[in-house]
Amino acid sequence: MSKRTVHFKMYRYDPDRDEKPYMQDISVELEESDKKLLDALVRLKAKDDSLSFRRSCREGVCGSDAMNINGKNGLACLTDIDTLAQPVVLRPLPGLPVIRDLIVDMTQFFKQYHSIKPYLVNNTPPPDRERLQSPEEREELNGLYECILCACCSTSCPSFWWNPDKFVGPAGLLAAYRFLADTRDEATTERLDNLEDPYRLFRCHSIMNCVDVCPKSLNPTRAIGKIKDMMVSRAV
Amino acid sequence: MTVAKRTFDAVIVGAGGAGLRAALQLSEAGLKTAVLTKVFPTRSHTVAAQGGVAASLGNSTEDNWHWHMYDTVKGSDWLGDQDAIEFMCRKANEVVVELEHYGMPFDRTDNGKIYQRPFGGHSQNYGQSPVSRSCAAADRTGHAMLHALYQRNVRANTQFFVEWIALDLIRDQDGDVVGVTALELETGEVSIFHAKATIFATGGAGRIFHSSTNAFINTGDGVGMAARAGIPLEDMEFWQFHPTGVAGAGVLITEGVRGEGGILRNAAGERFMERYAPNLKDLASRDVVSRSMVTEINEGRGCGPDKDHVLLDITHLSPETIMKRLPGIREISIQFAGVDPIKAPIPVVPTCHYQMGGIPTNYKGQVVVPKDGEPNAPVVGFYAAGECACASVHGANRLGTNSLLDLLVFGKSAGESVVEDIQSGNLSLKPLPADAADASLARISRLENQTGGESVAEVGNAMRRTMQKHAGVFRFNTLLKEGVTAILDVAERSKRTEIKDKSKVWNTARMEALELDNLIEVAKATMVSAEARKESRGAHVRDDAPDTAEFPNGRNDNEWLKHTLWYREGNRLDYKPVTMKPLSHDVEPIALAKRTY
């Protein structure tokens, strides 16, 4: 197989050096074994070691290498390089402050995640063995617990862009429902109270960008709908 | 450069499973604790564990810790310390049930208990038949576990320093550990973390090999720091090659696939493991399966145009089982092998996966070194747990699901030891030496000023190729000898790596150069220890130590039933005895025997 060259338009910004961000035209020759966008980035970095991005597991479970790829958020390690239109336009995740190149400051994202109390609350003294849960009850957690906190969803959501400090965002709300749906959790009332607010939950307008970009094929919009249903049924 | 100083009761380096489990102990005891981590905690490599965590809960098949202990000792090819192994197997139910109480979403049996599946090398009744011992959350057990542990730490208000990379261990004139230096990636600033206790939970270094299931971040940072600070490294010749990495990509396919009924086949479609392990077949221990696969490939029965891999077949399982129990594997196969395992088998090849050796510890998580004739004298103020540590429970070969168990049990016990040692007044805040940060600053300044050197990528590639060629699944006397010279040469080159990026802010080039320093220590320790061990045992199998009547499987207990200790200073080896005596009188020592499956 002949060598392939990939052309990029790459967002570059080093606050130590650059007055403002710019788009750089840059290309790299791939080896045959290079299949994913991340492979190409690693090869680029071997040429220009100043190119900065986060990466770790390279198999889509750690959530490090989320970025905006040809206008759509995704994970570099799960994106096939050969299917991308060229030049591949790479930008940091939108809506969060850029630290350098493709690296964004995720403080606000994690602050929202932490705000929903992302841990099981059960104040009943535990038994010696496991708490029981039927396979059907456990199944309710499927599609919720698999979130990798990559932030592709929240940073594709217009409501989160406008109000990142007030709207929990799809990732945080998916996590909120993960605990509401867990039969072992005893904090349903507190969790719903915590979201009873014009912004925290109700800024979701079901635009569904989150569903469109989730690299794990999760559906935050559906989880948000279920929280809204729980709000309604406790109100009546 | 000014160096800020921060003071804590304890500093934990690493926020994977072991670090997070230790942190819980400390935070809940009210100790002032700093957890340093170079990635956000849920990005740590524990997240990639798939198949499960071992515990003899007996939810599906009868089980007890005695059988688990026997399997682990046998799996270790008798190089594991039996006191630590007894401790781990007896603690398994407690730490797994705790996780469930923390909220971990385990799969469930019909009666609501934690779901358990069979796994390689785990058996009922001392090797008789497979047992369901692996507690699983689908094939995403590590992800579910890491998130549950992180979430519990959020509840406990643990203080994290996220995206800080630890640089060097600080020891005082007595050799006691008084903290670490670390670099904040966002600012490039170096700080000293001064503490009564330091726990390393930095994970493995599988990135010394070219073909690895490991994440980019698995660069042996704790192991390298310990080596530079004069701590010997134990049993570094023992590396686990996981039988089923996706051919070409290296991405892990869990042994749980075989636990659910998956079968390995050669080019003729033959279930070849029946020939190598008539009893446990595809669920034999990992070293055994990996060698059998390589033998099939070497003898021309590999699959594909280059006959360079074998096939992992689950097409006979129902699509429902695959979707329910192995959904992540199906995604990985489609993504990285281009096959849907419901319809076609997955091309797989043995791939570097796990570091059995590491920083020597006892079962309490204390780091131990030879001192004044005592082979296991604790280093005051220093603890380690998880893959970076060598307790030693895995010996010459780790059983699947024992790694997640290791990090829970020893993360917790290291945490408990620190709490106890601080609360009892055994540990105090010793003064920092005047030169505490000098070594780290010298490394940074060397990189700042280096000219005319090679790139980190070039030297790193040379290291990975050398390790792959000279210290792989099968080892050869000549290749090992050449390998020692070759890796020492690469180590010299690593002293002159040059980075072009001089920015202070999020300088990943600098980070990778500092990580390479750690990888190189691990690579040297591995090659030198492997060359010296003139026997075959567990994952270390060499051509000049074949299976004979005198030395079954090539294992030579008369000369080599001992732990290797590699010292960086002088590139020197020492040895210490294996602990054959269990911790309690509840169990007899597991006597030496030939290992067959």
Side-chain angles (χ1 to χ4, degrees):
Chain A
M1 198 162 127
S2 65
K3 293 219 169 170
R4 299 159 291 162
T5 303
V6 186
H7 303 282
F8 290 92
K9 271 201 181 303
M10 183 84 69
Y11 180 99
R12 299 300 303 264
Y13 176 57
D14 174 3
D16 228 12
R17 205 179 51 187
D18 307 319
E19 268 180 35
K20 54 179 199 233
Y22 62 98
M23 296 304 285
Q24 181 187 31
D25 293 308
I26 181 172
S27 58
V28 69
E29 206 170 77
L30 300 184
E31 297 293 326
E32 196 186 326
S33 58
D34 297 332
K35 301 267 193 307
K36 302 292 180 185
L37 172 58
L38 181 61
D39 299 327
L41 288 176
V42 169
R43 231 166 257 297
L44 263 178
K45 190 167 176 57
K47 273 175 53 171
D48 172 6
D49 68 9
S50 70
L51 176 65
S52 307
F53 52 92
R54 294 186 176 102
R55 83 286 179 269
S56 180
C57 76
R58 60 84 163 87
E59 58 189 63
V61 293
C62 80
S64 299
D65 62 352
M67 53 189 70
N68 187 267
I69 307 157
N70 282 347
K72 189 175 171 185
N73 291 353
L75 298 182
C77 61
L78 294 185
T79 302
D80 287 325
I81 188 78
D82 290 328
T83 61
L84 289 174
Q86 292 193 37
V88 180
V89 182
L90 285 190
R91 292 172 178 276
L93 289 176
L96 293 175
V98 177
I99 301 175
R100 181 178 176 178
D101 294 347
L102 301 174
I103 295 170
V104 291
D105 179 350
M106 297 185 75
T107 309
Q108 196 58 252
F109 172 79
F110 287 121
K111 204 166 164 187
Q112 290 297 1
Y113 173 69
H114 292 149
S115 80
I116 62 95
K117 296 194 168 39
Y119 44 82
L120 193 84
V121 176
N122 185 325
N123 294 319
T124 311
D128 288 341
R129 288 287 297 253
E130 63 265 53
R131 291 194 169 98
L132 300 181
Q133 188 172 51
S134 73
E136 295 72 30
E137 290 169 337
R138 166 60 184 78
E139 204 130 303
E140 292 299 314
L141 306 181
N142 285 349
L144 305 173
Y145 82 95
E146 302 93 325
C147 173
I148 58 174
L149 299 175
C150 64
C152 280
C153 60
S154 293
T155 62
S156 69
C157 172
S159 298
F160 189 77
W161 294 339
W162 308 142
N163 294 291
D165 54 335
K166 294 186 192 141
F167 174 51
V168 171
L173 291 168
L174 184 84
Y177 186 63
R178 177 250 172 274
F179 291 100
L180 284 165
D182 196 321
T183 51
R184 300 168 296 174
D185 190 88
E186 293 177 337
T188 303
T189 306
E190 295 85 334
R191 290 186 190 284
L192 292 178
D193 288 350
N194 178 285
L195 298 172
E196 186 85 71
D197 171 283
Y199 283 93
R200 286 178 61 71
L201 170 70
F202 290 102
R203 277 287 128 166
C204 169
H205 300 307
S206 304
I207 299 167
M208 294 185 69
N209 282 0
C210 55
V211 182
D212 191 37
V213 298
C214 177
K216 307 309 284 182
S217 308
L218 307 180
N219 190 330
T221 307
R222 188 167 56 209
I224 292 167
K226 291 200 169 173
I227 304 177
K228 287 179 178 170
D229 290 347
M230 290 176 87
M231 292 278 195
V232 171
S233 41
R234 78 165 181 169
V236 293
Chain B
M1 186 187 265
T2 54
V3 178
K5 199 180 84 178
R6 297 160 196 265
T7 306
F8 293 89
D9 288 320
V11 54
I12 299 175
V13 184
L20 290 177
R21 188 63 193 81
L24 269 186
Q25 252 12 69
L26 273 52
S27 293
E28 285 174 356
L31 295 184
K32 193 182 174 208
T33 307
V35 182
L36 306 185
T37 172
K38 65 178 177 178
V39 294
F40 185 79
T42 62
R43 321 258 188 249
S44 308
H45 194 54
T46 303
V47 81
Q50 298 172 351
V53 50
S56 55
L57 292 168
N59 286 351
S60 306
T61 49
E62 190 194 341
D63 202 2
N64 63 63
W65 67 263
H66 288 269
W67 295 346
H68 186 191
M69 178 178 171
Y70 169 84
D71 292 335
T72 303
V73 172
K74 177 180 169 184
S76 81
D77 218 350
W78 275 267
L79 194 71
D81 289 325
Q82 296 198 17
D83 55 346
I85 293 174
E86 180 191 343
F87 182 79
M88 179 178 81
C89 296
R90 292 185 83 158
K91 278 270 189 190
N93 290 5
E94 171 192 317
V95 293
V96 167
V97 166
E98 257 169 14
L99 262 188
E100 194 283 323
H101 294 161
Y102 295 166
M104 173 145 167
F106 283 109
D107 285 4
R108 299 290 171 155
T109 61
D110 286 340
N111 55 14
K113 295 179 178 177
I114 293 172
Y115 169 79
Q116 297 185 281
R117 60 162 62 108
F119 237 76
H122 290 282
S123 74
Q124 265 184 325
N125 207 12
Y126 309 101
Q128 216 166 57
S129 51
V131 67
S132 293
R133 186 178 288 149
S134 171
C135 309
D139 53 2
R140 305 185 177 103
T141 311
H143 171 279
M145 177 185 285
L146 189 67
H147 281 251
L149 284 171
Y150 175 67
Q151 291 161 353
R152 187 75 176 184
N153 272 284
V154 172
R155 178 179 177 272
N157 275 317
T158 299
Q159 189 180 359
F160 290 100
F161 290 78
V162 175
E163 294 173 337
W164 285 67
I165 178 169
L167 300 176
D168 286 286
L169 191 64
I170 306 171
R171 300 180 77 180
D172 69 6
Q173 68 284 355
D174 302 323
D176 298 352
V177 169
V178 294
V180 290
T181 53
L183 182 149
E184 183 182 28
L185 287 167
E186 190 173 340
T187 62
E189 298 296 330
V190 174
S191 292
I192 290 174
F193 286 76
H194 185 199
K196 298 171 188 169
T198 301
I199 303 178
F200 272 11
T202 54
R207 284 273 158 180
I208 60 169
F209 287 94
H210 176 72
S211 165
S212 173
T213 65
N214 282 202
F216 282 102
I217 58 169
N218 288 25
T219 54
D221 296 344
V223 181
M225 285 188 275
R228 281 195 301 277
I231 307 283
L233 304 182
E234 180 173 345
D235 294 340
M236 290 302 293
E237 61 270 48
F238 297 102
W239 283 87
Q240 177 157 84
F241 290 82
H242 195 291
T244 55
V246 172
V251 176
L252 175 68
I253 300 286
T254 175
E255 191 168 292
V257 170
R258 283 169 285 140
E260 295 290 345
I263 291 169
L264 290 166
R265 299 187 190 282
N266 60 20
E270 183 204 4
R271 183 182 193 178
F272 57 86
M273 280 311 299
E274 289 180 330
R275 279 188 275 119
Y276 298 91
N279 197 19
L280 291 186
K281 303 187 178 79
D282 299 87
L283 285 177
S285 205
R286 286 183 181 169
D287 57 335
V288 174
V289 178
S290 283
R291 279 194 294 274
S292 309
M293 290 166 69
V294 173
T295 304
E296 290 298 300
I297 293 167
N298 286 350
E299 293 179 358
R301 294 186 292 279
C303 307
D306 298 324
K307 297 179 176 298
D308 58 356
H309 59 266
V310 302
L311 294 173
L312 176 58
D313 186 4
I314 50 171
T315 54
H316 53 288
L317 301 186
S318 75
E320 294 72 39
T321 302
I322 295 172
M323 305 287 263
K324 186 170 177 191
R325 300 292 181 207
L326 306 166
I329 285 312
R330 180 163 179 251
E331 276 174 39
I332 285 176
S333 304
I334 292 170
Q335 272 282 347
F336 292 96
V339 297
D340 183 345
I342 292 175
K343 298 177 194 137
I346 313 165
V348 290
V349 74
T351 306
C352 175
H353 184 56
Y354 190 85
Q355 165 194 311
M356 261 81 72
I359 304 167
T361 68
N362 58 22
Y363 72 91
K364 295 175 180 169
Q366 297 172 304
V367 174
V368 293
V369 297
K371 195 179 176 186
D372 305 328
E374 159 58 45
N376 294 303
V379 177
V380 175
F382 195 23
Y383 306 77
E387 190 170 345
C388 74
C390 182
S392 152
V393 284
H394 310 305
N397 171 66
R398 174 174 72 77
L399 296 187
T401 69
N402 268 352
S403 57
L404 290 185
L405 179 59
D406 168 345
L407 58 83
L408 289 176
V409 167
F410 296 104
K412 182 176 183 182
S413 93
E416 284 174 337
S417 299
V418 167
V419 171
E420 198 181 304
D421 289 344
I422 288 180
Q423 288 179 347
S424 67
N426 279 348
L427 283 180
S428 54
L429 193 71
K430 296 187 76 185
L432 283 171
D435 62 352
D438 288 7
S440 300
L441 295 178
R443 290 173 67 205
I444 304 273
S445 129
R446 204 271 302 161
L447 282 170
E448 195 67 27
N449 301 315
Q450 183 75 49
T451 52
E454 288 175 278
S455 75
V456 173
E458 261 174 281
V459 180
N461 280 335
M463 171 193 67
R464 288 182 281 274
R465 275 196 303 268
T466 304
M467 296 310 293
Q468 196 75 30
K469 178 176 170 197
H470 293 270
V473 174
F474 281 107
R475 290 167 176 184
F476 302 88
N477 184 33
T478 339
L479 278 177
L480 285 167
K481 277 202 165 65
E482 291 167 9
V484 170
T485 316
I487 203 67
L488 292 178
D489 177 58
V490 175
E492 281 305 311
R493 290 163 61 187
S494 76
K495 292 176 185 168
R496 297 186 307 275
T497 51
E498 182 185 347
I499 56 172
K500 303 286 184 201
D501 185 358
K502 308 288 186 189
S503 174
K504 294 281 246 180
V505 181
W506 249 103
N507 188 326
T508 47
R510 181 193 291 150
M511 178 171 77
E512 289 179 17
L514 295 166
E515 289 173 333
L516 183 64
D517 290 347
N518 297 322
L519 285 166
I520 284 286
E521 299 304 333
V522 175
K524 282 191 293 181
T526 299
M527 196 71 84
V528 172
S529 306
E531 192 278 329
R533 185 175 282 273
K534 303 282 193 291
E535 65 155 357
S536 296
R537 183 185 297 269
H540 176 68
V541 165
R542 47 191 297 159
D543 63 332
D544 52 351
D547 184 17
T548 61
E550 191 186 358
F551 301 118
N553 291 339
R555 197 178 84 200
N556 178 352
D557 291 322
N558 294 332
E559 284 182 62
W560 289 102
L561 184 62
K562 57 187 180 186
H563 294 296
T564 307
L565 294 173
W566 174 84
Y567 288 82
R568 175 175 185 267
E569 180 80 42
N571 196 20
R572 170 171 72 88
L573 291 173
D574 192 6
Y575 293 90
K576 69 175 182 181
V578 175
T579 306
M580 300 296 284
K581 207 169 134 233
L583 200 57
S584 76
H585 296 294
D586 300 340
V587 58
E588 291 292 310
I590 295 168
L592 290 164
K594 179 174 179 176
R595 209 165 141 247
T596 53
Y597 287 97

